[in-house]
Amino acid sequence: MSTRAAIRGFGRLLPALRPERRAMAGSYLVATASALGLAALSVLTAWAVGHAIVDRTPPGPVWWTAVIGLVLLRTVLTWQEMDVSHALAYRVLARLRMALFDAYARSVPARRREHSGRAAAVAMGDIEKLEFFYAHTVAQLGASLTVFLASFTAAAVLLPEAALVMFGGSALVAGTALCWAGAARRIGEREQRDRETLSARTVDALGALREVLGYGLAPRIVAEAAEATGRAAAVSCRRELLSRLSAGVREVIVTAVVIGVIAVSAAAAGVLSDTADARLSPAVLPALIALALAGVSAVTEAATTLTELHPLTASARRVADGVARPPVVSAPERPRRVPDGPLGVRFRGVSFSYDDRRPTLQGWSADVAPGEHVGLAGPSGAGKSTVVALAARLWDPSAGAVELVAADGTAVPVTGIDDEAFRDAVALVEQEARLFHGTLRDNLLRGTGPRPDAELREVLERVGAGGWIGLDEELGEGGVRLSGGQQARLCLARALVRRPRVLLVDEVTASLDPETERVVSEVIAGFDGTVLAASHRHETLAHFERVVHVQAPAPDSEPEKDRARHPARDGS
Amino acid sequence: MMIVGHLWREAARFPAALLSSTALLLLVFLTHLAQAAAIAWSMSAVLRGAPQDVLLALLLIVGIAVLRLLASLAQSAAAAGLGGRVRQALRRRAMEAALVPERLHDTAVRDGTMRASLSDGVDGTDAYVSKYIPAVAQVAVACPAVVVLLALLSPPAAAGVAAAVLLAVFGPMAWKRLIARRGLDHWDGYEALSADVLESLRGMATLRALGDVSGTRARLHARSEALRRATERVMRAGLAETAVTDLAVQGGIVAAAGVAVWGAVSGQAPAGGVYLVLLLASEAFRPVRELSRHWHAGFLGLTAVPGLEEIGAFDRERGEGAPVPASVPEAADEDGTGRRDGDPPGGAASASSAEVLRVSDLGFRYPGAACDVISGLDLTARRGALSAIAGPSGSGKSTLFDLLLGFLTPARGRITLDGRPLRTRDIAVVSQRPVLFAGTVRENLDATGTAAGEAELVAACRAAGVLEEIRALPHGFDTEVAEAGSSLSGGQRQRLALARALLAHRPVLLVDEPTSALDTGRAADVLATLHRVARERIVIMISHRPEALAGVPTVLRLDAGRLDRSVQ
């Protein structure tokens, strides 16, 4: 990645600072005052020492007052500067976290799926890493520049050639910010990737814990993680060495500047040659050196900050990419109202393909009349789940349209409806529906307004879950203690609590025993509204008034051509 | 100076790395001292008007600078090595502690919390271990040494510097407790947010379908703000350390300057001596400043330490690869428990076939539950014919499976295979909602690394009725599977899990609703396979599908934790 691309990467993160303009200005002022105070302190001290040695005159009370005042001021300013800049940075990070969540909420599930462990690593780890960028970069670089200019001007007044040495040295020091930048960025990329991979592996192992334990995979997973940590440690060692090396080079340059200033001022003081007349009192020499050091140190600090940024480039880019993820469904510009009364669902020449596969659906059409109960049949993998997902607007089709149809025949494309209004009308029970951490009541009420407990209990009774679970029971993440059948029934109950007009169901009866399957089928049959339910089971499909079939497109169709026509909106 | 005992003990377990990083740091410090001396010499030479000496001193300064660069590179490598080893040890132990059966039934545990501890929490210790610990050692050795040197030149300056160093090092300990308490809040906030973030990312499709994106956003925002406030609070306490250090450093240098000026004016000290006192005073604070800098870089990472301790990352016993106490056969026979999986990776079954699996008088109750899930259960499954268990959802089938697998410890009864206790590694499972790993289809199939080769892989997939679909995938067996297998349909996943179980070569096969996600044709194929496999292995199938139970000689009916035999 080139320097320009890196700068662009960080540039994309700058807009997050926009609401912090005042705080940034405050941070700059405090940082500058603190750095100038430190420079003044060392120059004053050196000045007093120089005069004491050469002229044998002690500093007066003014000096003492100034110095003690500066020490105290500097203490307060140091703390203040850190406080202001960090508080600012954490506000920005909190804002970025929410921006990232919004982006994921618009774009997940993407057609090309991203591992949640990776996404979580970005949302938590990478954002935290950017603390350095937001807390230590913009205002601090400005402060360093100010201090450099001030000390350069002062040095130029005292002895122009010393200022020249200082300027040359500072330019060299600034140049080191670009030394090994490419290598540092590559190391940062590698570290970022390793962190994501470790996170994904961990999430995988925790999510498949039953399999991991059953097949005795834990020792292997642990060994792999330890090995990965070892490799990561080797990479971070390289990063440390690079940053140490450029810091070392800077130190050598600073030393050279000190030597240069000593040399030129010694010459100016007439020490090195007997002939020249002294243009500089030896008493000023220590102050001049302190001044030169202050100027070069400011530049050194700035260069160190820039060096530390290189490895963060990868994190910056990942976060910026995440925030800019393309949405999987488009938001309507002028939302249309959902018609009142019963709603039907119409598929008109719908095509859809997952990112790297051949099309799952091609020009598929079907019509579900308002109030009608329709079963969706087809072999495993034929695209039943895709049809249901399109009707639920988890994605937009790549061609064709899905419409909600009122009893009077008015058709509104789902892409033209505001998301909230759409979710009020349509509910989905997915094959992989998830129960969330929290009580059963929390779960049932997700996305709905308040409902009385009696109503919730009545719905639980209807799905045959009245007996074995209470509303206050903690379900745990993914409903850990519940069997697949129990989870499916609770997910159905959660959809019913929403009182939808269209109920979309994907294979909910798959894992139920015959008795419960009968109950659930009856619940769906008795549902007062439109139903579209995918199932591969004849018994389940037999309950429906009508069954439509989904067939995978013939394998000889060309996915490449199809994708070219409808550029895939992948989310990675 | 803050001492975190756990991390010091961990670092002490790598004495070579700890010693070399500390020794090299002291060497770097020595070069600073030498440079100070050389600078003082050069300045006094300028004042004395001795050009020869000036040049010599300048050359010396350059030489020292180069030496320091080399030493600091070596030091960085040693310190990074130390930090890396400690992280590795912590991660290994924390992961071992995380992958245990107890987590399977705990409604309080959250994967995102564990993910945060295992990744960010462990990495957060690095700055403290690799930078702060050597820096503390440097303060302990270098600061007293410089004070002694100073005392030889100017006792009053030495006294001033010593007082300032003590203030800088020990002053911040006054609010150590405060930092620790706020640190706990910070890590709690981080973990809670991390858990919610991971859960909402995993369940985003469900959240969108429920129209709960805005509700989730509000919850996350509250968490995120709580974390921000907690971070600010711990940071304020932590940054006060920086301020105190700065006060001590600047105050100390000014005091030393005052002493030096007084000495110079009264004419007691030579010019070179005055410069040296000043430069040494400044050097005395270098270790203190470094300590403060590393504290700033690392203190936020330290908030994870109590969390890591809770997981067990600091428990030595677990991490040392000490064998888990193997169950003595007699003792295990008595209660059928004590079966823990200390299997080596890919642990193949001891015997690929067994005759009979016997469960007798098995009883189990979840902690805090009112009644038993399983009680007085007897079951005998033999090789040769498929055994089936039927029963309504929630009748205890999942619990029975977990008991057989050893994920739960029975309250009563025993489980034996050919007369010896059944072990986890005797069993291959196909669960109702099998989970695949992110990776290729091939890696998923050969999870235990026991498949003999391509031919066997193909045969197992054919037997499981999934071969054609695998071949239809873009890259066949090398197609990448998305997280938890979500890029495949439920039926495909189940049949892949069956192929995986067949390839594991274990004497017992447990299958939960193998046909639930299959259409009629495929269901028949899978059942035919199970009947065939049952000739060589003990196969227990849970099902309530009439078509699956047809042709099974013995069907046991599980009802409220009891089994009734019904022979068809």
Side-chain angles (χ1 to χ4, degrees), chain A residues 397-420:
Chain A
S398 49
V402 181
E403 297 168 342
L404 291 184
V405 188
D408 62 3
T410 333
V412 183
V414 295
T415 49
I417 303 171
D418 166 64
D419 193 64
E420 202 176 325

Side-chain angles (χ1 to χ4, degrees), chain A residues 38 41 45 49 53 56 58-59 64 67 74-75 78-79 82-83 86 90-91 97-98 101-102 105 108-109 113 115-116 119-121 124 128 136 198-199 202-204 206 208-211 213-215 217 219-220 222 225-226 229 233 236-237 240-241 244-245 248 251 255 259 271 282 286 328-329 356-357 380 393-394 423 428 430-432 434 436-437 446-447 474 476-477 480-481 483 486-487 489 494 498 509-514 517 536-538, chain B residues 46-47 49 58 61 68-69 72-73 76 84 87-88 91-92 95 99-101 103-105 107 110-111 115 118 131 190 193 198-199 201-204 206-210 212-213 216-217 219-221 224 227-228 231 235-236 239-240 242-243 246-247 250 254 257 261 264-265 267 271 275 278 296 300 341 343 392-394 398 402 407 424 429 432-435 437-438 447-448 474 483 486-487 490 493 500-501 504 506 516-520 544-545 547:
Chain A
L38 183 63
L41 197 56
T45 311
V49 171
I53 290 175
R56 306 269 168 196
W64 280 107
V67 163
R74 159 84 187 166
T75 304
T78 304
W79 187 78
M82 295 270 206
D83 190 42
H86 284 83
Y90 289 120
R91 278 198 301 276
R97 275 196 291 264
M98 293 324 292
F101 171 81
D102 290 339
V108 172
R113 305 196 184 213
H115 201 292
S116 67
M124 299 304 298
E128 287 285 313
H136 298 280
L198 176 75
S199 174
T202 309
V203 168
D204 248 5
L206 294 172
L209 187 54
R210 209 169 279 277
E211 274 80 358
L213 296 170
Y215 286 113
L217 302 180
R220 196 169 82 193
V222 171
T229 308
S236 53
C237 178
E240 280 295 316
L241 285 181
R244 204 51 246 164
L245 190 60
E251 263 178 44
T255 311
I259 293 171
V271 175
V328 283
V329 292
D356 50 353
R357 313 258 199 100
S380 291
R393 226 191 156 211
L394 290 182
R423 301 292 164 205
L428 164 69
E430 314 142 81
Q431 196 173 1
E432 292 301 315
R434 280 186 75 88
F436 296 96
H437 184 79
R446 282 233 168 190
E474 287 285 339
E477 224 167 82
V480 275
R481 276 197 190 169
S483 71
Q486 290 172 324
Q487 292 186 29
R489 273 179 286 175
R494 184 167 61 183
R498 306 173 57 75
T509 57
S511 48
L512 300 182
D513 54 287
E517 181 181 337
H536 60 268
R537 297 185 45 75
H538 297 306
Chain B
V46 168
L47 285 179
L58 294 186
I61 293 173
R68 182 168 56 234
L69 176 57
S72 66
L73 283 177
S76 290
R87 268 189 300 167
Q88 196 173 27
R91 183 159 289 141
R92 179 182 291 132
M95 251 186 156
L99 301 177
V100 291
R103 281 180 63 85
L104 286 173
H105 303 94
T107 54
R110 305 191 65 185
D111 288 354
R115 189 207 71 83
L118 287 175
K131 304 270 177 68
Y190 192 81
L193 179 65
L198 183 63
E199 197 182 20
L201 285 170
R202 277 173 159 180
M204 193 61 88
T206 306
L207 289 175
R208 283 179 57 206
L210 287 171
D212 192 36
V213 168
T216 306
R217 187 187 201 282
R219 258 189 297 276
L220 279 179
H221 187 251
S224 173
L227 171 62
R228 184 181 67 77
T231 312
M235 178 198 71
R236 288 218 165 99
L239 289 184
T242 317
D246 201 74
L247 174 67
Q250 305 306 338
V254 166
V261 164
V265 171
Y275 285 132
L278 270 180
H296 177 67
L300 216 46
D341 227 18
D343 292 350
S393 299
S398 317
D402 281 354
F407 297 161
T424 307
V429 195
Q432 205 174 343
R433 286 184 161 191
V435 185
F437 304 103
T448 54
E483 179 180 3
S486 57
S487 54
R493 241 175 293 164
R500 175 169 72 182
R506 295 186 167 184
S516 69
L518 304 184
D519 47 65
T520 321
H544 31 249
R545 302 264 176 232
E547 75 271 14

Side-chain angles (χ1 to χ4, degrees), chain B residues 103-360:
Chain B
R103 281 180 63 85
L104 286 173
H105 303 94
D106 191 342
T107 54
V109 300
R110 305 191 65 185
D111 288 354
T113 306
M114 193 52 96
R115 189 207 71 83
S117 294
L118 287 175
S119 54
D120 307 337
V122 170
D123 285 345
T125 61
D126 188 62
Y128 187 87
V129 174
S130 67
K131 304 270 177 68
Y132 195 81
I133 290 181
V136 168
Q138 177 179 240
V139 165
V141 176
C143 289
V146 177
V147 168
V148 168
L149 274 182
L150 264 178
L152 296 176
L153 293 167
S154 160
V161 167
V165 167
L166 287 177
L167 171 65
V169 172
F170 294 106
M173 288 176 113
W175 51 90
K176 192 179 174 180
R177 270 165 192 281
L178 180 73
I179 290 184
R181 203 174 55 235
R182 291 186 173 181
L184 275 183
D185 290 344
H186 169 258
W187 187 248
D188 283 351
Y190 192 81
E191 281 188 336
L193 179 65
S194 189
D196 277 359
V197 163
L198 183 63
E199 197 182 20
S200 59
L201 285 170
R202 277 173 159 180
M204 193 61 88
T206 306
L207 289 175
R208 283 179 57 206
L210 287 171
D212 192 36
V213 168
S214 58
T216 306
R217 187 187 201 282
R219 258 189 297 276
L220 279 179
H221 187 251
R223 290 258 196 238
S224 173
E225 284 300 300
L227 171 62
R228 184 181 67 77
R229 281 193 302 273
T231 312
E232 272 181 19
R233 280 163 53 79
V234 70
M235 178 198 71
R236 288 218 165 99
L239 289 184
E241 199 263 3
T242 317
V244 169
T245 305
D246 201 74
L247 174 67
V249 170
Q250 305 306 338
I253 291 176
V254 166
V259 171
V261 164
W262 174 71
V265 171
S266 60
Q268 289 163 344
V274 173
Y275 285 132
L276 194 56
V277 165
L278 270 180
L279 288 165
L280 279 182
S282 165
E283 289 304 323
F285 292 106
R286 185 184 293 278
V288 176
R289 277 198 299 255
E290 276 180 28
L291 192 69
S292 169
R293 194 156 47 89
H294 297 320
W295 169 254
H296 177 67
F299 78 95
L300 216 46
L302 293 181
T303 63
V305 169
L308 290 172
E309 186 184 1
E310 206 177 318
I311 300 172
F314 298 108
D315 299 350
R316 298 283 175 79
E317 302 77 45
R318 211 191 264 280
E320 265 30 67
V324 180
S327 57
V328 185
E330 287 78 14
D333 261 0
E334 262 179 288
D335 57 9
T337 63
R339 294 180 294 111
R340 255 301 158 64
D341 227 18
D343 292 350
S350 46
S352 58
S353 79
E355 284 303 320
V356 57
L357 172 78
R358 213 167 247 127
V359 177
S360 46

Side-chain angles (χ1 to χ4, degrees), chain A residues 293-430:
Chain A
L293 261 179
V296 181
S297 300
V299 178
T300 305
E301 225 166 86
T304 307
T305 301
L306 290 175
T307 307
E308 300 291 314
L309 280 186
H310 299 315
L312 291 181
T313 313
S315 291
R317 201 177 43 176
R318 263 321 248 122
V319 171
D321 283 350
V323 171
R325 282 167 70 96
V328 283
V329 292
S330 54
E333 275 174 25
R334 265 167 299 158
R336 293 176 61 180
R337 220 175 51 79
V338 182
D340 294 327
L343 291 171
V345 183
R346 182 180 295 153
F347 300 85
R348 295 209 319 195
V350 169
S351 298
F352 187 83
S353 61
Y354 293 93
D355 209 42
D356 50 353
R357 313 258 199 100
R358 59 167 180 265
T360 309
L361 292 175
Q362 224 168 16
W364 191 78
S365 297
D367 217 331
V368 181
E372 193 183 17
H373 287 196
V374 171
L376 196 57
S380 291
K384 300 189 295 288
S385 299
T386 308
V387 168
V388 173
L390 289 175
R393 226 191 156 211
L394 290 182
W395 296 301
D396 285 340
S398 49
V402 181
E403 297 168 342
L404 291 184
V405 188
D408 62 3
T410 333
V412 183
V414 295
T415 49
I417 303 171
D418 166 64
D419 193 64
E420 202 176 325
F422 179 79
R423 301 292 164 205
D424 274 345
V426 180
L428 164 69
V429 187
E430 314 142 81

